[in-house]
Amino acid sequence: GMECAIDYTNSNYRYTTIYYGTIDRTYGQSGQGAIAGKDINGITEEGDWVTPFIIDENDPNTMFIGYKNVWRSRNIKATNTDQVNWTKISSISLGNIKVVEQSPVNTDIMLVSNDGSISYSNNVQAENPTWKSMEGLPGTGKITDMECSPEDANTIYLTRGTKVYKT
């Protein structure tokens, strides 16, 4: 498929994706099933061809997915895959989200991007997070990746066009 992730506390939990955001969970050598995707466990949106998702930096039972909005589950390890619950936690209208990044220093900070703009939340763990658009972005071209510093919550690296930027 597209992307994969392995639970950093229990490698028996593995997550794989296919186009437009369907995410399957596998436990051990069996137990595979879809936990996310359009019309799966309450999700009403389809994602990009390669839909970004991350396991929370502090809680391996929490996952964030970037479809047209950000969706969060706090029970991705539910016994049955059809018991995983998802909540839409944004209404940012970016189109298809291409990048999702969470700060490992402050897990309340999350950034999401489509090709050319970034929205961020500094309270993504809240019941109803608030989102703002990041203004004054450097450079031109598509934003292809973002990475938060593992040491400083205020430092972010951004790849755009053919350059790397740091703020």
Side-chain angles (χ1 to χ4, degrees), residues 34-89:
I35 63 165
K38 187 166 195 267
D39 300 324
I40 298 171
N41 292 334
I43 295 173
T44 59
E45 300 175 344
E46 192 170 70
D48 201 44
W49 178 254
V50 179
T51 300
F53 73 100
I54 59 171
I55 299 171
D56 185 272
E57 294 277 350
N58 280 337
D59 179 4
N61 200 32
T62 298
M63 181 181 283
F64 298 92
I65 305 174
Y67 290 106
K68 305 229 179 322
N69 285 284
V70 179
W71 290 73
R72 176 182 61 205
S73 172
R74 294 191 190 274
N75 73 328
I76 60 172
K77 294 182 184 181
T79 303
N80 296 314
T81 56
D82 62 354
Q83 294 174 329
V84 176
N85 299 312
W86 292 95
T87 303
K88 183 171 86 168
I89 61 167

Side-chain angles (χ1 to χ4, degrees), residues 70 92-101 109-121 131-139 141-148 156-160 165 167:
V70 179
I92 50 183
S93 302
L94 286 177
N96 285 337
I97 293 172
K98 311 278 188 183
V99 181
V100 175
E101 173 64 12
I109 297 173
M110 179 167 284
L111 300 105
V112 296
S113 172
N114 66 1
D115 285 331
S117 62
I118 297 173
S119 290
Y120 69 95
S121 174
W131 295 86
K132 296 179 183 177
S133 177
M134 191 174 284
E135 304 295 329
L137 296 174
K142 291 183 178 184
I143 297 169
T144 55
D145 204 2
M146 295 181 290
E147 190 69 32
C148 293
I156 301 164
Y157 299 89
L158 166 75
T159 57
R160 187 172 199 181
Y165 299 92
T167 182

